[in-house]
Amino acid sequence: MMLGPHRQTAWFIHILLATMLALAGCAARPYATLLPVSGTVPGAHIVNMLVATTRQPSPVPGVVFNGERGPGLSVENIIVSIPPDDVRQPGTVIYPKDNPGDPASEFVTLGIKPVPPEGAVAWYRQVAGPKKRVLIFVHGFNSTYEEAVFRFAQISYDTGVNAAPILFTWPSRGSVFDYLYDRESANYSRNSLETILAQVAASPHVEDITLMAHSMGSWLAMEAVRQLSIRQGGLPDKLHNIVLAAPDLDIDVFRQQLDELGPAKDRITIFTSQDDRALLVSRRLAGGVQRLGSVDLTRPQMQAFFARRGVAVVDLSGVQAGDSLNHTKFAESPAVVQAIGQRLIAGNKITDSRLSLAEAIGATAVGTAQGVGSVIGAAAAVPAAVVNRDSRLRLRDQLEDAGRSLTGSLQTATGQ
């Protein structure tokens, strides 16, 4: 029996998403694990974050907010405890297996409380530090509230950035079979993200903002900054970096968004990977239109496009990190997440070409305690659009000094 066109489309989508689910593995996902514990342990690390959301509040203890759309914007102050370094590798999140969680070996919350509008001002003053820096993170498709909270706590700590962490979490149902619902929920949330960006930029206790978005959250982030730029006649000067990691974003839509950002274009850095299986599925669902996060940077026209538009691109195709979908390398590779933080700590735009990227990688990856492992990660993370041949050759010499065994990785990263 032949299926009608609509049923064929639905069947095809389910087959693709089931394949993606199988690739991602069957590890248990956390549920209702945000019940605060009474205290933490020596050596644990504390992340004090604001969480802004357009999700619907949940009556289930430990869930806090579910995947449905809420009536407006809610803000919570959440304190997360990260296990001591001797039980956790950078880039990893260890979810609680039971309630309450164990702070000695798992990510747990120490406190959750609503924040009124005036409370955010006091939080900025307390948490932003002497540099008055803020890091705003927007998660991607298929993410529950608690997954977003714990993942951002990991990113915030592992980057090492002394910045006040703000999570913006939108109504994702946390299911690979709700891709279209999630996409519309991102659309539903763009005004609220714009509001958060405007409020943070208006605070006298904030001077430096980095907006980082992953996957489908990249479309949401770009739409919010596009709207803010149109509404205010340009983006706030305080918004120094816009980082799009594995962006599930139609490349043609991205071109139009760039057209409306004007001078903000040189603030954007994109992390791509051609072996990102999640974006391959997304491309099929989108009618075959190229996703921004999986562009082929070996194509000269692609390099020329990004260079002409003032966008830096970092190719992570050679990095071995993340789940089997290769969709979370930016957060799960110790070398990558720490290199991002070290550039920000130094007070540089990630896209700033005045500081040779090869030299920066030599200082922040080769020279760290991560040793050869970080050198391999750094080699695979060289931005194809911003590093010239001389820089690549200098980087090659640095890496060869660190160990001849790196030659294979170097050739992959530099295209020599």
Side-chain angles (χ1 to χ4, degrees):
M1 181 177 65
M2 297 294 293
L3 296 175
H6 295 296
R7 294 188 66 188
Q8 285 181 337
T9 300
W11 176 83
F12 179 63
I13 289 174
H14 275 74
I15 290 296
L16 282 174
L17 294 177
T19 302
M20 188 167 72
L21 182 62
L23 286 169
C26 55
R29 300 180 71 174
Y31 179 73
T33 55
L34 291 178
L35 288 173
V37 302
S38 58
T40 188
V41 298
H45 307 284
I46 306 301
V47 177
N48 180 350
M49 69 170 72
L50 281 188
V51 182
T53 186
T54 50
R55 295 174 183 258
Q56 181 183 91
S58 170
V60 179
V63 174
V64 189
F65 290 89
N66 59 34
E68 301 306 305
R69 298 164 189 163
L73 183 64
S74 302
V75 180
E76 310 285 313
N77 180 203
I78 299 184
I79 311 297
V80 176
S81 173
I82 297 177
D85 293 338
D86 59 353
V87 299
R88 185 192 74 94
Q89 295 295 319
T92 60
V93 178
I94 307 173
Y95 297 111
K97 298 180 181 65
D98 300 297
N99 282 317
D102 182 1
S105 59
E106 299 169 328
F107 281 57
V108 297
T109 56
L110 301 179
I112 302 175
K113 62 181 181 181
V115 177
E118 63 274 12
V121 175
W123 185 85
Y124 297 143
R125 183 171 59 248
Q126 173 192 354
V127 181
K131 298 290 187 180
K132 298 184 177 182
R133 289 186 176 131
V134 167
L135 174 62
I136 302 174
F137 179 67
V138 185
H139 64 76
F141 159 65
N142 185 25
S143 179
T144 66
Y145 184 85
E146 55 203 291
E147 286 174 325
V149 167
F150 286 139
R151 173 59 73 186
F152 182 45
Q154 173 259 311
I155 292 171
S156 176
Y157 174 71
D158 285 345
T159 57
V161 178
N162 183 18
I166 299 177
L167 169 65
F168 184 87
T169 172
W170 45 279
S172 166
R173 283 180 173 162
S175 169
V176 295
F177 296 105
D178 280 314
Y179 182 87
L180 297 181
Y181 170 84
D182 277 19
R183 187 171 67 181
E184 295 307 313
S185 292
N187 185 27
Y188 170 79
S189 304
R190 56 185 176 179
N191 289 349
S192 294
L193 178 55
E194 179 193 354
T195 296
I196 291 295
L197 288 168
Q199 289 178 350
V200 174
S203 172
H205 305 294
V206 176
E207 294 295 339
D208 185 332
I209 302 169
T210 292
L211 174 62
M212 178 185 293
H214 177 229
S215 187
M216 190 179 287
S218 297
W219 179 88
L220 171 56
M222 286 298 295
E223 278 296 287
V225 297
R226 182 189 68 85
Q227 289 184 175
L228 185 61
S229 179
I230 293 172
R231 198 181 310 275
Q232 297 189 353
L235 286 180
D237 291 338
K238 295 178 182 180
L239 182 57
H240 291 163
N241 285 291
I242 301 170
V243 182
L244 308 179
D248 185 2
L249 175 56
D250 184 313
I251 193 167
D252 296 325
V253 173
F254 178 67
R255 286 188 176 99
Q256 290 192 333
Q257 291 168 331
L258 284 181
D259 289 340
E260 296 173 324
L261 289 187
K265 289 178 291 190
D266 65 357
R267 312 180 200 190
I268 299 173
T269 299
I270 303 170
F271 289 89
T272 69
S273 184
Q274 289 188 64
D275 59 359
D276 189 322
R277 293 183 175 95
L279 293 183
L280 175 62
V281 173
S282 176
R283 180 173 180 171
R284 297 286 180 86
L285 296 176
V289 178
Q290 176 67 57
R291 313 320 284 169
L292 181 62
S294 57
V295 294
D296 184 357
L297 295 179
T298 65
R299 296 173 56 196
Q301 57 268 42
M302 271 296 152
Q303 295 189 23
F305 165 72
F306 288 119
R308 183 174 67 253
R309 303 304 293 267
V311 175
V313 183
V314 180
D315 186 1
L316 301 182
S317 297
V319 173
Q320 301 301 311
D323 61 9
S324 59
L325 294 176
N326 297 318
H327 195 51
T328 55
K329 294 181 181 183
F330 81 103
E332 296 192 23
S333 165
V336 174
V337 71
Q338 291 169 351
I340 293 172
Q342 286 157 351
R343 289 303 297 269
L344 296 175
I345 287 172
N348 299 300
K349 292 180 180 179
I350 295 178
T351 57
D352 193 347
S353 60
R354 292 174 298 174
L355 177 64
S356 166
L357 188 63
E359 294 170 1
I361 290 175
T364 62
V366 177
T368 66
Q370 295 297 321
V372 173
S374 283
V375 179
I376 295 173
V382 177
V386 297
V387 179
N388 59 31
R389 178 177 174 81
D390 291 341
S391 295
R392 294 201 304 269
L393 292 175
R394 287 198 301 272
L395 177 60
R396 183 189 65 187
D397 293 340
Q398 292 174 357
L399 296 177
E400 287 177 346
D401 289 341
R404 298 293 176 180
S405 63
L406 302 179
T407 302
S409 296
L410 173 66
Q411 290 173 339
T412 299
T414 62
Q416 297 295 312

